[in-house]
């Protein structure tokens, strides 16, 4: 990624201030399955005659025979009582799965009698490690009597385990306030700084733990996550259990860092990105969260052709819509670059680009992500953007490394920078957040030769006042 100088009350008090804007909401998502966590054994679930099922320590266990020809020759699922699927409604099917060997499994939500018309038909691969899977779909058929199936035949015999199976109808979702639904920001127990601290005990680790690893910060998600549903779920799930608010960064747009040289990459195609971001939103589901959407994706506009920009607009518009439809208790903030970009490109032009990609469908926008400008400078910049938007939007400021301000506009591991204010609501913005992980490199540049995204204890220590 390149960041160049170019151009409510009780819960909210846990954050330190009262949150003024959106009132708490309760989403209207409807669960269509029963006993999806198998707390009542296998009640409500069936297996084909050749596929015995049982409850194994709170999971559904299926013994899958070998020697069958077709996926549907051995099945399990739920169809009694039958549930309705409504045409044009948005649904999320999610579950945990593992097996005794790697196997391809087919899942459907379909009519529960011939001709078994499906509204979703997906094949996924299970492994010996439990993974979360999430599939979002829009129903194209109105089917009053639907069933869920897992079709497992056509391969060598194995054992399959399922848990936490859910099918949610998202029609009628009401946007909720994730701040009022939680009791403070989530401290990532597996952040890069925390991982280094745990593996390298000593004085430096103690300093990094006290100043950085023990503080709330965002976790970034991109094409390095082999299963995005699993990665997101295993971050937001524990945060939800702890009643804390997680901050996530979606960073996988194709042609990422179009104006830079250290953080290129992203999804391989427009369609691949759409599938990825849809799954990202589906994996969050109704859990409270904050998502920073695609840092640098707007400011990169000046380095893109009209065709590239048209594709990027389409993808960002799609992304914001997915969170709106599938993650009702998530606040999304579309990235809006930083003060340096504002000075070189112009706030009016940047605001126009934000409008083009549908910032109206985001809760707000983010500024100063991975950069160093003082909070006061960033607030001035954000307010200038708002003056050009059709309707003013809330904004958040990345304060992870802005304690000493920007050094002549240098963005790539400059020396002498310091930690800024820790995560909080207010502070002149809707929130001040540590979006960039302190100690993570910007690339092989400045005071570090580490690749972008790699944690360096020397970088972390340099940020500690």
């Amino acid at each position: 990624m390149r960041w160049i100088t170019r151009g409510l009350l009780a819960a909210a008090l846990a954050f330190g201030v009262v949150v003024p804007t959106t009132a708490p909401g309760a989403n209207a998502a409807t669960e269509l399955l029963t006993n999806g966590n198998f707390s009542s054994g296998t009640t409500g679930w069936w297996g084909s005659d050749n596929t015995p099922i049982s409850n194994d320590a709170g999971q559904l266990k299926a013994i899958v025979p070998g020697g069958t020809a077709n996926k549907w020759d051995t099945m399990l699922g739920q169809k009694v009582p039958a549930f309705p699927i409504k045409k044009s409604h948005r649904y999320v099917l999610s579950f945990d799965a593992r097996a005794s060997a790697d196997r391809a499994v087919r899942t459907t939500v379909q009519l529960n009698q011939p001709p078994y018309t499906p509204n979703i038909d997906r094949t996924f691969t299970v492994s010996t490690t439990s993974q979360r899977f999430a599939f979002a779909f829009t129903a194209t058929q109105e089917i009053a009597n639907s069933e869920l199936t897992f079709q497992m035949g056509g391969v060598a015999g194995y054992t399959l385990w399922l848990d936490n199976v859910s099918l949610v109808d998202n029609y009628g979702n009401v946007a909720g306030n994730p701040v009022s639904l939680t009791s403070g920001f989530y401290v990532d127990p597996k952040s890069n700084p925390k991982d280094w601290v745990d593996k390298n005990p000593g004085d430096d680790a103690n300093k990094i733990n006290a100043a950085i690893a023990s503080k709330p910060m965002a976790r970034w998600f991109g094409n390095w996550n082999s299963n995005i549903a699993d990665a997101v779920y295993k971050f937001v799930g524990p945060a939800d259990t702890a009643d804390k608010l997680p901050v996530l960064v979606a960073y996988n747009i194709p042609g990422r860092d179009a104006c830079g040289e250290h953080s290129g990459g992203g999804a391989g195609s427009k369609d691949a990105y759409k599938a990825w971001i849809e799954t990202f939103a589906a994996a969050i589901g109704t859990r409270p969260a904050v998502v920073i959407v695609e840092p640098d994706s707007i400011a990169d506009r000046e380095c893109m052709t009209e065709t590239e920009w048209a594709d990027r607009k389409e993808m960002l518009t799609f992304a914001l819509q997915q969170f709106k439809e599938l993650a009702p208790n998530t606040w999304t903030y579309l990235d809006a670059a930083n003060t340096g970009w504002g000075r070189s490109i112009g706030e009016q032009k940047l605001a126009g680009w934000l409008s083009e990609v549908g910032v109206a469908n985001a809760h707000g926008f983010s500024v100063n992500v991975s950069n160093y400008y003082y909070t006061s400078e960033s607030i001035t910049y954000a307010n200038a953007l708002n003056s050009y938007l059709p309707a003013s939007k809330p904004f958040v400021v990345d304060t992870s490394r802005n304690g000493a301000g920007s050094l002549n506009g240098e963005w790539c591991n400059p020396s002498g920078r310091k930690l800024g204010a820790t995560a909080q609501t207010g502070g002149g913005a809707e929130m001040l957040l540590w979006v960039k992980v302190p100690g993570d490199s910007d690339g092989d540049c400045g005071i570090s030769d580490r690749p972008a995204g790699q944690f360096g204890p020397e970088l972390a220590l340099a940020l500690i006042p």
Side-chain angles (χ1 to χ4, degrees):
M1 176 189 295
R2 194 181 190 202
W3 306 275
I4 65 180
T5 311
R6 290 197 290 190
L8 260 91
L9 297 185
L13 286 174
F15 286 84
V17 300
V18 174
V19 178
T21 52
T22 309
N27 87 84
T30 302
E31 175 61 58
L32 299 178
L33 303 180
T34 60
N35 192 30
N37 62 0
F38 306 104
S39 59
S40 299
T42 60
T43 300
W45 293 84
W46 59 271
S48 52
D49 291 343
N50 61 350
T51 311
I53 62 172
S54 61
N55 185 284
D56 181 10
Q59 302 174 75
L60 183 129
K61 176 182 178 181
I63 306 297
V64 182
T68 58
N70 306 297
K71 286 294 181 191
W72 57 84
D73 289 338
T74 176
M75 295 198 295
L76 65 86
Q78 185 171 128
K79 64 180 177 180
V80 179
F83 49 84
I85 294 292
K86 300 291 186 180
K87 186 176 181 179
S88 300
H89 283 207
R90 292 280 277 158
Y91 295 86
V92 174
L93 170 63
S94 58
F95 50 89
D96 300 328
R98 65 183 176 93
S100 58
D102 291 1
R103 292 290 186 269
V105 178
R106 180 186 186 191
T107 185
T108 69
V109 176
Q110 62 185 33
L111 177 65
N112 69 352
Q113 60 191 21
Y116 302 109
T117 309
N119 264 301
I120 181 175
D121 184 342
R122 300 285 180 89
T123 298
F124 61 97
T125 300
V126 290
S127 69
T128 55
T129 301
S130 180
Q131 297 180 72
R132 186 69 172 176
F133 296 88
F135 302 113
F137 65 98
T138 301
T140 57
Q141 308 282 336
E142 185 89 12
I143 300 178
N145 299 307
S146 294
E147 66 175 344
L148 167 69
T149 76
F150 291 92
Q151 303 179 13
M152 305 162 289
V155 294
Y158 66 104
T159 303
L160 176 73
W161 289 267
L162 294 173
D163 201 2
N164 300 313
V165 187
S166 171
L167 177 61
V168 170
D169 181 352
N170 281 281
Y171 181 77
N173 275 334
V174 177
N177 180 334
V179 173
S180 68
L181 294 173
T182 51
S183 62
F185 290 103
Y186 185 53
V187 176
D188 184 356
K190 297 181 179 180
S191 68
N192 286 346
K194 181 61 175 171
D195 181 64
W196 187 88
V197 164
D198 290 343
K199 294 176 180 177
N200 298 276
D203 290 343
D204 286 348
N206 292 338
K207 291 177 184 177
I208 292 172
N209 188 59
I212 296 175
S214 61
K215 309 300 182 186
M217 68 189 74
R219 185 183 290 185
W220 292 57
F221 297 84
N223 55 359
W224 53 87
N225 300 116
S226 58
N227 179 339
I228 189 60
D230 188 63
V232 168
Y233 178 76
K234 288 178 178 175
F235 184 59
V236 299
D240 190 38
T241 299
D243 191 33
K244 300 297 181 182
L245 180 60
V247 180
L248 302 85
V249 181
Y251 191 51
N252 198 32
I253 201 86
R256 190 178 67 205
D257 195 23
C259 295
E261 57 187 25
H262 291 288
S263 297
S269 68
K270 182 167 61 176
D271 288 343
Y273 179 75
K274 286 184 174 182
W276 184 87
I277 201 71
E278 180 182 66
T279 302
F280 192 122
I284 294 176
T286 59
R287 300 169 191 84
V290 165
V291 177
I292 309 300
V293 179
E294 298 298 344
D296 284 355
S297 57
I298 298 298
D300 272 351
R301 165 68 179 100
E302 65 170 10
C303 300
M304 305 175 75
T305 66
E306 291 300 325
T307 299
E308 290 169 338
W309 176 239
D311 285 345
R312 180 158 293 191
K313 284 194 297 183
E314 181 182 337
M315 288 183 282
L316 291 174
T317 300
F318 179 86
L320 295 176
Q321 191 64 34
Q322 299 317 295
F323 288 108
K324 189 174 182 179
E325 293 180 358
L326 303 175
N329 296 317
T330 291
W331 277 355
T332 54
Y333 297 89
L334 179 62
D335 188 63
N338 58 62
T339 301
W341 286 100
R343 290 170 182 166
S344 63
I345 296 175
E347 290 90 349
Q348 185 172 8
K349 184 180 288 188
L350 283 159
W353 295 342
L354 288 169
S355 295
E356 285 184 46
V357 301
V359 71
N361 281 327
H363 177 75
F365 59 86
S366 57
V367 298
N368 203 49
V369 171
S370 299
N371 219 291
Y372 303 87
Y373 292 98
Y374 284 120
T375 301
S376 58
E377 294 178 279
S378 294
I379 291 169
T380 298
Y381 167 63
N383 287 333
L385 289 176
N386 264 327
S387 70
Y388 293 112
L389 290 174
S392 181
K393 302 292 287 186
F395 61 88
V396 297
V397 178
D398 183 0
T399 57
S400 59
R401 307 186 296 181
N402 74 345
S406 178
L407 181 66
N408 301 319
E410 292 184 27
W411 60 271
C412 202
N413 299 321
S415 61
R417 304 308 89 201
K418 298 300 177 185
L419 299 170
T422 53
Q424 59 188 270
T425 56
E430 186 161 52
M431 300 180 194
L432 306 181
L433 302 173
W434 281 11
V435 180
K436 176 73 172 183
V437 175
D440 278 7
S441 176
D442 295 324
D444 181 2
C445 52
I447 61 172
S448 176
D449 58 2
R450 297 178 184 272
Q454 185 179 104
F455 179 78
E458 72 287 352
L459 289 170
L461 290 167
L463 290 170
I464 299 173

